[in-house]
Every structure is written in structure tokens, then in C-alpha cells.
Amino acid sequence: MRHFPGFLDQTTQEKLVEDLRDLVEKAPLFTPVMPRIGKPFSVRMTNLGALGWVSDKAGYRYQAAHPVTGKPWPAFPESLLVIWDMVSHYPHPPEACLVNYYTGSAKMGLHQDRDEEDFAAPVVSISLGDTAVFRVGGIARGGKTQSFKLASGDVVVLDGASRLAFHGIDRVIAGTSTLLKSGGRINLTLRRVTKPAVS
Ligand code: MD6
Ligand code: FE
């Protein structure tokens, strides 16, 4: 994987948080549940773009409408497309931006991002707010993993051999950033969902 510590400067981070505040009013955070068992996630989520990633009792999928409001997801702010163009090395625009919001003891179990049609497209992740302990392993569940910190403004790209690596968030370290007034952490992941007709 590729990790760019401090990729976004303070001003860019503040502007992005301001944009997200407006967007989350239009597409409120919701609490997804695990497929079949219905156990709630500890993170809250929403999405931007033509497609959004959702999880409910029926399974994981991308869909065009917010599961609570039934409305289309808000469009990406231009700044996210600029970041994608800078780091993705991929010639088509992203279609989805999953917004994960961590408060308190929220975490995310080890998973692969594999609900997309085209693994030739990377997943680009942006961290804002409190520092998180990120864990990453190989492409087989149960293999060796290593952890490192993701701070506010960091960008991570999973592509190539790392595209299907297992990864998750062990925990968020409270009080490590003042970017978000009430603390916590936002993670944005930009994804290409559909396979382009011509690459
Ligand atoms: C997070 N990130 O940082 C969770 N997925 O809160 C992810 O699940 C992730 O960081 C794909 C690519 C990069 C990531
Ligand atoms: Fe992921």
C-alpha cells in the first residue's frame, strides 16, 4: 500500500470538514448493521457521489439512494476529485465516497474492500481528526498483520498487490487532533465501483 503522511495541509483539511458539514446535513449519518445477524457497526456512515456503500441485513452493496431519506447521495466536492487525480494513477473518476465517522470506542474489524467490479481501480483513503491505529495484513484472512498510525491529513492508497489486503481500524486515539470540534475521526474512502467500458 501507499501511505502519504500529511498529504493535506491544515487549510485543505478545514475546508474539507466545512464542506462535509453541509453534505452530512443533506445525507445524514446512519448506523449500518452486519449482514444476516443485524449487529450494528460502531461507526456511523454516509456517502457522496453517484453510488454509496451500504450494509444491512440483506448484505453489502452499492446503491444510488440514501437508505433512510431515499434521496440520491450529494455530489463530491471538487477537492476530493483533485486528490483522486493526484494519487490514484487511474484514468477514470471515482463514483463513490464512503464517509465513516468514529466517536468514542468505535473501530472497524479487518475486512477487504471487494464489492467493486474493477479491482484495477484503487481505493483512496483520507483521514481527518483524531489519529487512528490502522492494521493491515495480506490478502488471506488470518495472516500476519502490522499496525501503524493514520493522522489527520494522511492519505492511503490501496492498489496493485495491496488492493485486496485485509485492513481495519483497531482504535482511535482521543485528543490527538483539534480539527473536529467535538473530537473523533472521519475517514473518507474514494472508490470506482463500475468497470469503465473502455480503459
Ligand atoms: C478507516 N479505512 O480508515 C477505514 N479501505 O477508517 C478503510 O477501510 C480503507 O483506509 C480501503 C482503503 C483504504 C482504507
Ligand atoms: Fe476498507
Short mmCIF file of all heavy atoms in Angstrom, two decimals, residues 75-131:
data_model
loop_
_atom_site.label_atom_id
_atom_site.label_comp_id
_atom_site.label_asym_id
_atom_site.label_seq_id
_atom_site.Cartn_x
_atom_site.Cartn_y
_atom_site.Cartn_z
N ALA A 75 -23.33 15.25 -4.36
CA ALA A 75 -22.15 15.16 -5.23
C ALA A 75 -20.86 15.34 -4.43
O ALA A 75 -20.86 15.93 -3.35
CB ALA A 75 -22.25 16.23 -6.31
N PHE A 76 -19.76 14.85 -4.97
CA PHE A 76 -18.43 15.07 -4.37
C PHE A 76 -18.07 16.55 -4.38
O PHE A 76 -18.28 17.21 -5.42
CB PHE A 76 -17.31 14.47 -5.24
CG PHE A 76 -17.28 13.01 -5.36
CD1 PHE A 76 -17.39 12.42 -6.61
CD2 PHE A 76 -17.10 12.19 -4.26
CE1 PHE A 76 -17.31 11.04 -6.76
CE2 PHE A 76 -17.04 10.82 -4.41
CZ PHE A 76 -17.14 10.24 -5.64
N PRO A 77 -17.43 17.04 -3.35
CA PRO A 77 -16.77 18.35 -3.51
C PRO A 77 -15.58 18.19 -4.48
O PRO A 77 -14.94 17.14 -4.53
CB PRO A 77 -16.30 18.71 -2.10
CG PRO A 77 -16.45 17.50 -1.26
CD PRO A 77 -17.26 16.48 -2.01
N GLU A 78 -15.32 19.23 -5.23
CA GLU A 78 -14.23 19.23 -6.22
C GLU A 78 -12.89 18.80 -5.60
O GLU A 78 -12.10 18.10 -6.23
CB GLU A 78 -14.13 20.65 -6.81
CG GLU A 78 -13.01 20.87 -7.81
CD GLU A 78 -13.15 20.07 -9.10
OE1 GLU A 78 -14.28 19.66 -9.42
OE2 GLU A 78 -12.12 19.84 -9.76
N SER A 79 -12.67 19.20 -4.34
CA SER A 79 -11.38 18.91 -3.70
C SER A 79 -11.09 17.41 -3.65
O SER A 79 -9.94 16.98 -3.72
CB SER A 79 -11.35 19.51 -2.29
OG SER A 79 -12.43 19.01 -1.53
N LEU A 80 -12.14 16.59 -3.54
CA LEU A 80 -11.92 15.14 -3.47
C LEU A 80 -11.49 14.60 -4.83
O LEU A 80 -10.66 13.69 -4.91
CB LEU A 80 -13.18 14.42 -2.99
CG LEU A 80 -13.58 14.68 -1.54
CD1 LEU A 80 -14.81 13.86 -1.19
CD2 LEU A 80 -12.43 14.35 -0.59
N LEU A 81 -12.06 15.15 -5.89
CA LEU A 81 -11.68 14.71 -7.24
C LEU A 81 -10.22 15.08 -7.52
O LEU A 81 -9.49 14.33 -8.18
CB LEU A 81 -12.61 15.34 -8.28
CG LEU A 81 -14.08 14.93 -8.12
CD1 LEU A 81 -14.96 15.69 -9.11
CD2 LEU A 81 -14.25 13.42 -8.32
N VAL A 82 -9.80 16.23 -7.00
CA VAL A 82 -8.41 16.66 -7.18
C VAL A 82 -7.46 15.67 -6.49
O VAL A 82 -6.45 15.24 -7.06
CB VAL A 82 -8.22 18.09 -6.62
CG1 VAL A 82 -6.75 18.48 -6.61
CG2 VAL A 82 -9.03 19.10 -7.44
N ILE A 83 -7.82 15.26 -5.27
CA ILE A 83 -6.97 14.30 -4.54
C ILE A 83 -6.90 12.97 -5.31
O ILE A 83 -5.82 12.39 -5.48
CB ILE A 83 -7.50 14.09 -3.11
CG1 ILE A 83 -7.42 15.41 -2.32
CG2 ILE A 83 -6.73 12.97 -2.39
CD1 ILE A 83 -8.22 15.43 -1.03
N TRP A 84 -8.05 12.49 -5.78
CA TRP A 84 -8.10 11.25 -6.58
C TRP A 84 -7.16 11.36 -7.79
O TRP A 84 -6.37 10.46 -8.06
CB TRP A 84 -9.53 10.98 -7.03
CG TRP A 84 -9.71 9.83 -7.96
CD1 TRP A 84 -9.70 9.85 -9.32
CD2 TRP A 84 -9.96 8.45 -7.59
NE1 TRP A 84 -9.94 8.59 -9.83
CE2 TRP A 84 -10.09 7.71 -8.80
CE3 TRP A 84 -10.09 7.78 -6.36
CZ2 TRP A 84 -10.35 6.33 -8.82
CZ3 TRP A 84 -10.35 6.40 -6.38
CH2 TRP A 84 -10.47 5.69 -7.59
N ASP A 85 -7.25 12.49 -8.50
CA ASP A 85 -6.40 12.67 -9.69
C ASP A 85 -4.92 12.68 -9.33
O ASP A 85 -4.08 12.21 -10.09
CB ASP A 85 -6.77 13.97 -10.42
CG ASP A 85 -8.09 13.83 -11.18
OD1 ASP A 85 -8.55 12.68 -11.38
OD2 ASP A 85 -8.67 14.87 -11.55
N MET A 86 -4.60 13.20 -8.15
CA MET A 86 -3.19 13.28 -7.76
C MET A 86 -2.60 11.93 -7.38
O MET A 86 -1.43 11.67 -7.65
CB MET A 86 -3.03 14.26 -6.58
CG MET A 86 -3.21 15.71 -6.99
SD MET A 86 -3.30 16.79 -5.55
CE MET A 86 -1.58 16.98 -5.18
N VAL A 87 -3.38 11.07 -6.75
CA VAL A 87 -2.77 9.84 -6.19
C VAL A 87 -3.24 8.53 -6.80
O VAL A 87 -2.59 7.50 -6.60
CB VAL A 87 -2.95 9.76 -4.65
CG1 VAL A 87 -2.32 10.96 -3.96
CG2 VAL A 87 -4.41 9.60 -4.25
N SER A 88 -4.37 8.54 -7.53
CA SER A 88 -4.96 7.24 -7.90
C SER A 88 -4.20 6.53 -9.03
O SER A 88 -4.24 5.29 -9.11
CB SER A 88 -6.42 7.41 -8.31
OG SER A 88 -6.51 8.05 -9.57
N HIS A 89 -3.55 7.28 -9.92
CA HIS A 89 -2.94 6.69 -11.12
C HIS A 89 -3.98 5.90 -11.91
O HIS A 89 -3.67 4.88 -12.51
CB HIS A 89 -1.76 5.76 -10.79
CG HIS A 89 -0.67 6.40 -10.00
ND1 HIS A 89 0.33 5.68 -9.39
CD2 HIS A 89 -0.43 7.71 -9.70
CE1 HIS A 89 1.14 6.51 -8.76
NE2 HIS A 89 0.70 7.74 -8.93
N TYR A 90 -5.22 6.37 -11.91
CA TYR A 90 -6.31 5.66 -12.56
C TYR A 90 -7.05 6.65 -13.44
O TYR A 90 -7.39 7.74 -12.99
CB TYR A 90 -7.24 5.07 -11.49
CG TYR A 90 -8.32 4.18 -12.04
CD1 TYR A 90 -8.03 2.90 -12.49
CD2 TYR A 90 -9.64 4.62 -12.10
CE1 TYR A 90 -9.03 2.08 -13.00
CE2 TYR A 90 -10.64 3.81 -12.61
CZ TYR A 90 -10.33 2.54 -13.06
OH TYR A 90 -11.32 1.74 -13.56
N PRO A 91 -7.33 6.30 -14.70
CA PRO A 91 -7.80 7.29 -15.67
C PRO A 91 -9.29 7.60 -15.67
O PRO A 91 -9.77 8.28 -16.56
CB PRO A 91 -7.39 6.67 -17.02
CG PRO A 91 -7.46 5.21 -16.78
CD PRO A 91 -7.04 4.99 -15.35
N HIS A 92 -10.04 7.08 -14.70
CA HIS A 92 -11.48 7.34 -14.64
C HIS A 92 -11.83 7.90 -13.27
O HIS A 92 -11.15 7.59 -12.29
CB HIS A 92 -12.27 6.05 -14.90
CG HIS A 92 -11.88 5.39 -16.19
ND1 HIS A 92 -12.37 5.80 -17.41
CD2 HIS A 92 -11.01 4.38 -16.44
CE1 HIS A 92 -11.83 5.05 -18.36
NE2 HIS A 92 -11.00 4.18 -17.80
N PRO A 93 -12.90 8.69 -13.20
CA PRO A 93 -13.23 9.31 -11.91
C PRO A 93 -13.81 8.31 -10.91
O PRO A 93 -14.35 7.27 -11.32
CB PRO A 93 -14.28 10.36 -12.29
CG PRO A 93 -14.86 9.89 -13.56
CD PRO A 93 -13.79 9.13 -14.29
N PRO A 94 -13.73 8.60 -9.62
CA PRO A 94 -14.38 7.75 -8.62
C PRO A 94 -15.90 7.93 -8.71
O PRO A 94 -16.38 8.94 -9.23
CB PRO A 94 -13.85 8.29 -7.30
CG PRO A 94 -13.56 9.73 -7.58
CD PRO A 94 -13.12 9.80 -9.02
N GLU A 95 -16.63 6.95 -8.22
CA GLU A 95 -18.10 7.01 -8.26
C GLU A 95 -18.71 7.07 -6.86
O GLU A 95 -19.89 7.38 -6.72
CB GLU A 95 -18.65 5.78 -8.98
CG GLU A 95 -18.24 5.75 -10.44
CD GLU A 95 -18.52 4.42 -11.09
OE1 GLU A 95 -18.07 3.39 -10.57
OE2 GLU A 95 -19.21 4.42 -12.13
N ALA A 96 -17.92 6.70 -5.86
CA ALA A 96 -18.45 6.63 -4.50
C ALA A 96 -17.42 7.18 -3.53
O ALA A 96 -16.21 7.01 -3.72
CB ALA A 96 -18.77 5.18 -4.13
N CYS A 97 -17.91 7.86 -2.51
CA CYS A 97 -17.06 8.24 -1.38
C CYS A 97 -17.80 7.84 -0.12
O CYS A 97 -18.83 8.43 0.22
CB CYS A 97 -16.79 9.74 -1.38
SG CYS A 97 -15.88 10.27 0.09
N LEU A 98 -17.27 6.83 0.55
CA LEU A 98 -17.84 6.39 1.83
C LEU A 98 -17.26 7.27 2.93
O LEU A 98 -16.04 7.47 3.00
CB LEU A 98 -17.48 4.91 2.06
CG LEU A 98 -17.85 4.32 3.42
CD1 LEU A 98 -19.36 4.34 3.65
CD2 LEU A 98 -17.33 2.88 3.51
N VAL A 99 -18.15 7.81 3.75
CA VAL A 99 -17.75 8.67 4.87
C VAL A 99 -17.98 7.86 6.15
O VAL A 99 -19.12 7.48 6.44
CB VAL A 99 -18.62 9.95 4.91
CG1 VAL A 99 -18.23 10.83 6.09
CG2 VAL A 99 -18.54 10.72 3.59
N ASN A 100 -16.91 7.57 6.87
CA ASN A 100 -17.01 6.85 8.14
C ASN A 100 -16.72 7.82 9.28
O ASN A 100 -15.71 8.53 9.22
CB ASN A 100 -15.95 5.73 8.24
CG ASN A 100 -16.27 4.53 7.37
OD1 ASN A 100 -15.37 3.95 6.76
ND2 ASN A 100 -17.52 4.15 7.30
N TYR A 101 -17.58 7.83 10.28
CA TYR A 101 -17.37 8.75 11.42
C TYR A 101 -17.21 7.93 12.70
O TYR A 101 -18.11 7.17 13.08
CB TYR A 101 -18.56 9.71 11.52
CG TYR A 101 -18.45 10.72 12.62
CD1 TYR A 101 -17.28 11.47 12.80
CD2 TYR A 101 -19.51 10.95 13.49
CE1 TYR A 101 -17.18 12.41 13.82
CE2 TYR A 101 -19.42 11.90 14.51
CZ TYR A 101 -18.26 12.63 14.66
OH TYR A 101 -18.16 13.54 15.67
N TYR A 102 -16.04 8.10 13.32
CA TYR A 102 -15.70 7.35 14.53
C TYR A 102 -15.80 8.27 15.74
O TYR A 102 -15.16 9.33 15.76
CB TYR A 102 -14.25 6.85 14.48
CG TYR A 102 -13.92 5.86 13.39
CD1 TYR A 102 -13.77 6.28 12.06
CD2 TYR A 102 -13.71 4.51 13.68
CE1 TYR A 102 -13.44 5.38 11.07
CE2 TYR A 102 -13.38 3.60 12.68
CZ TYR A 102 -13.25 4.05 11.38
OH TYR A 102 -12.93 3.16 10.39
N THR A 103 -16.57 7.85 16.74
CA THR A 103 -16.56 8.56 18.02
C THR A 103 -16.32 7.52 19.12
O THR A 103 -16.57 6.32 18.90
CB THR A 103 -17.90 9.27 18.31
OG1 THR A 103 -18.96 8.30 18.25
CG2 THR A 103 -18.20 10.36 17.28
N GLY A 104 -15.84 7.99 20.27
CA GLY A 104 -15.66 7.09 21.42
C GLY A 104 -14.82 5.89 21.06
O GLY A 104 -13.72 6.01 20.54
N SER A 105 -15.37 4.69 21.35
CA SER A 105 -14.59 3.47 21.16
C SER A 105 -14.86 2.81 19.80
O SER A 105 -14.58 1.63 19.62
CB SER A 105 -14.90 2.49 22.29
OG SER A 105 -16.29 2.22 22.28
N ALA A 106 -15.40 3.58 18.84
CA ALA A 106 -15.69 2.99 17.53
C ALA A 106 -14.43 2.44 16.88
O ALA A 106 -13.34 2.98 17.04
CB ALA A 106 -16.32 4.05 16.61
N LYS A 107 -14.57 1.33 16.19
CA LYS A 107 -13.45 0.71 15.47
C LYS A 107 -14.00 0.00 14.25
O LYS A 107 -15.21 -0.03 14.04
CB LYS A 107 -12.70 -0.26 16.39
CG LYS A 107 -13.54 -1.34 17.02
CD LYS A 107 -12.68 -2.07 18.06
CE LYS A 107 -13.39 -2.93 19.05
NZ LYS A 107 -14.41 -3.82 18.61
N MET A 108 -13.10 -0.57 13.45
CA MET A 108 -13.56 -1.31 12.28
C MET A 108 -12.76 -2.59 12.14
O MET A 108 -11.53 -2.56 12.10
CB MET A 108 -13.42 -0.46 11.01
CG MET A 108 -14.06 -1.15 9.82
SD MET A 108 -14.14 -0.12 8.39
CE MET A 108 -15.20 1.17 8.97
N GLY A 109 -13.46 -3.71 12.10
CA GLY A 109 -12.81 -5.01 12.02
C GLY A 109 -12.07 -5.20 10.71
O GLY A 109 -12.30 -4.48 9.73
N LEU A 110 -11.17 -6.17 10.70
CA LEU A 110 -10.40 -6.47 9.49
C LEU A 110 -11.35 -6.87 8.37
O LEU A 110 -12.23 -7.70 8.57
CB LEU A 110 -9.41 -7.60 9.76
CG LEU A 110 -8.15 -7.25 10.55
CD1 LEU A 110 -7.34 -8.51 10.82
CD2 LEU A 110 -7.30 -6.21 9.82
N HIS A 111 -11.15 -6.27 7.21
CA HIS A 111 -12.02 -6.55 6.06
C HIS A 111 -11.25 -6.32 4.78
O HIS A 111 -10.18 -5.70 4.78
CB HIS A 111 -13.26 -5.63 6.10
CG HIS A 111 -12.93 -4.18 5.90
ND1 HIS A 111 -12.51 -3.37 6.93
CD2 HIS A 111 -12.91 -3.40 4.79
CE1 HIS A 111 -12.27 -2.16 6.46
NE2 HIS A 111 -12.50 -2.15 5.15
N GLN A 112 -11.79 -6.80 3.68
CA GLN A 112 -11.31 -6.45 2.35
C GLN A 112 -12.35 -5.56 1.69
O GLN A 112 -13.54 -5.74 1.93
CB GLN A 112 -11.15 -7.69 1.47
CG GLN A 112 -10.05 -8.64 1.90
CD GLN A 112 -10.15 -9.94 1.12
OE1 GLN A 112 -11.13 -10.66 1.21
NE2 GLN A 112 -9.12 -10.25 0.34
N ASP A 113 -11.94 -4.63 0.86
CA ASP A 113 -12.89 -3.85 0.07
C ASP A 113 -13.02 -4.59 -1.26
O ASP A 113 -12.15 -4.49 -2.12
CB ASP A 113 -12.34 -2.43 -0.17
CG ASP A 113 -12.43 -1.57 1.06
OD1 ASP A 113 -12.30 -2.11 2.18
OD2 ASP A 113 -12.63 -0.35 0.92
N ARG A 114 -14.12 -5.35 -1.40
CA ARG A 114 -14.23 -6.18 -2.60
C ARG A 114 -15.64 -6.18 -3.19
O ARG A 114 -16.04 -7.12 -3.86
CB ARG A 114 -13.74 -7.60 -2.33
CG ARG A 114 -14.42 -8.32 -1.17
CD ARG A 114 -13.87 -9.72 -1.03
NE ARG A 114 -13.81 -10.36 -2.33
CZ ARG A 114 -12.90 -11.27 -2.70
NH1 ARG A 114 -11.96 -11.65 -1.88
NH2 ARG A 114 -12.94 -11.79 -3.89
N ASP A 115 -16.39 -5.11 -2.94
CA ASP A 115 -17.73 -5.00 -3.51
C ASP A 115 -17.72 -4.20 -4.81
O ASP A 115 -18.78 -3.88 -5.35
CB ASP A 115 -18.69 -4.37 -2.50
CG ASP A 115 -18.80 -5.21 -1.23
OD1 ASP A 115 -18.82 -6.45 -1.37
OD2 ASP A 115 -18.81 -4.65 -0.13
N GLU A 116 -16.52 -3.89 -5.30
CA GLU A 116 -16.39 -3.11 -6.53
C GLU A 116 -16.18 -4.09 -7.70
O GLU A 116 -15.67 -5.18 -7.51
CB GLU A 116 -15.20 -2.13 -6.42
CG GLU A 116 -15.31 -1.15 -5.25
CD GLU A 116 -15.04 -1.79 -3.89
OE1 GLU A 116 -14.23 -2.75 -3.84
OE2 GLU A 116 -15.65 -1.36 -2.89
N GLU A 117 -16.56 -3.63 -8.91
CA GLU A 117 -16.43 -4.52 -10.08
C GLU A 117 -15.01 -4.62 -10.59
O GLU A 117 -14.62 -5.60 -11.21
CB GLU A 117 -17.29 -3.98 -11.24
CG GLU A 117 -18.76 -4.19 -11.05
CD GLU A 117 -19.58 -3.51 -12.16
OE1 GLU A 117 -18.99 -3.06 -13.17
OE2 GLU A 117 -20.80 -3.42 -11.98
N ASP A 118 -14.24 -3.56 -10.39
CA ASP A 118 -12.93 -3.48 -11.04
C ASP A 118 -11.82 -3.26 -10.02
O ASP A 118 -11.60 -2.15 -9.55
CB ASP A 118 -12.97 -2.31 -12.04
CG ASP A 118 -11.75 -2.32 -12.95
OD1 ASP A 118 -10.94 -3.27 -12.85
OD2 ASP A 118 -11.61 -1.39 -13.76
N PHE A 119 -11.10 -4.33 -9.69
CA PHE A 119 -10.01 -4.18 -8.71
C PHE A 119 -8.77 -3.53 -9.32
O PHE A 119 -7.78 -3.31 -8.62
CB PHE A 119 -9.67 -5.54 -8.09
CG PHE A 119 -10.83 -6.16 -7.35
CD1 PHE A 119 -11.07 -7.53 -7.44
CD2 PHE A 119 -11.67 -5.39 -6.57
CE1 PHE A 119 -12.14 -8.12 -6.76
CE2 PHE A 119 -12.74 -5.97 -5.89
CZ PHE A 119 -12.97 -7.32 -5.99
N ALA A 120 -8.84 -3.21 -10.62
CA ALA A 120 -7.76 -2.42 -11.22
C ALA A 120 -7.81 -0.98 -10.70
O ALA A 120 -6.82 -0.26 -10.75
CB ALA A 120 -7.88 -2.42 -12.74
N ALA A 121 -8.97 -0.56 -10.21
CA ALA A 121 -9.10 0.79 -9.63
C ALA A 121 -8.69 0.72 -8.16
O ALA A 121 -9.05 -0.21 -7.45
CB ALA A 121 -10.53 1.29 -9.76
N PRO A 122 -7.95 1.72 -7.69
CA PRO A 122 -7.53 1.74 -6.30
C PRO A 122 -8.67 2.17 -5.36
O PRO A 122 -9.72 2.62 -5.83
CB PRO A 122 -6.45 2.81 -6.28
CG PRO A 122 -6.88 3.77 -7.33
CD PRO A 122 -7.50 2.93 -8.41
N VAL A 123 -8.45 2.03 -4.06
CA VAL A 123 -9.28 2.72 -3.08
C VAL A 123 -8.37 3.75 -2.42
O VAL A 123 -7.25 3.43 -2.01
CB VAL A 123 -9.87 1.75 -2.02
CG1 VAL A 123 -10.70 2.53 -1.00
CG2 VAL A 123 -10.73 0.69 -2.70
N VAL A 124 -8.84 4.99 -2.39
CA VAL A 124 -8.06 6.10 -1.83
C VAL A 124 -8.72 6.55 -0.53
O VAL A 124 -9.92 6.84 -0.51
CB VAL A 124 -8.00 7.28 -2.83
CG1 VAL A 124 -7.35 8.51 -2.19
CG2 VAL A 124 -7.24 6.88 -4.09
N SER A 125 -7.94 6.56 0.56
CA SER A 125 -8.49 6.89 1.88
C SER A 125 -7.88 8.17 2.43
O SER A 125 -6.68 8.40 2.31
CB SER A 125 -8.26 5.70 2.82
OG SER A 125 -7.81 6.10 4.08
N ILE A 126 -8.74 9.00 3.02
CA ILE A 126 -8.33 10.29 3.60
C ILE A 126 -8.75 10.30 5.07
O ILE A 126 -9.90 10.00 5.38
CB ILE A 126 -9.04 11.45 2.86
CG1 ILE A 126 -8.68 11.44 1.37
CG2 ILE A 126 -8.70 12.79 3.51
CD1 ILE A 126 -9.63 12.28 0.51
N SER A 127 -7.81 10.62 5.95
CA SER A 127 -8.11 10.66 7.38
C SER A 127 -8.20 12.10 7.87
O SER A 127 -7.34 12.93 7.53
CB SER A 127 -7.02 9.92 8.17
OG SER A 127 -7.05 8.54 7.88
N LEU A 128 -9.21 12.39 8.71
CA LEU A 128 -9.40 13.72 9.28
C LEU A 128 -9.73 13.59 10.76
O LEU A 128 -10.54 12.74 11.14
CB LEU A 128 -10.57 14.43 8.58
CG LEU A 128 -10.40 14.73 7.08
CD1 LEU A 128 -11.76 15.13 6.47
CD2 LEU A 128 -9.36 15.81 6.85
N GLY A 129 -9.10 14.42 11.59
CA GLY A 129 -9.42 14.38 13.02
C GLY A 129 -8.44 13.51 13.79
O GLY A 129 -7.26 13.40 13.42
N ASP A 130 -8.94 12.89 14.84
CA ASP A 130 -8.05 12.13 15.74
C ASP A 130 -7.31 11.00 15.01
O ASP A 130 -7.84 10.39 14.07
CB ASP A 130 -8.85 11.56 16.91
CG ASP A 130 -9.22 12.64 17.93
OD1 ASP A 130 -8.52 13.66 18.01
OD2 ASP A 130 -10.22 12.44 18.65
N THR A 131 -6.10 10.74 15.49
CA THR A 131 -5.24 9.68 14.94
C THR A 131 -5.86 8.31 15.17
O THR A 131 -6.40 8.04 16.25
CB THR A 131 -3.86 9.77 15.61
OG1 THR A 131 -3.27 11.02 15.26
CG2 THR A 131 -2.93 8.64 15.19
#
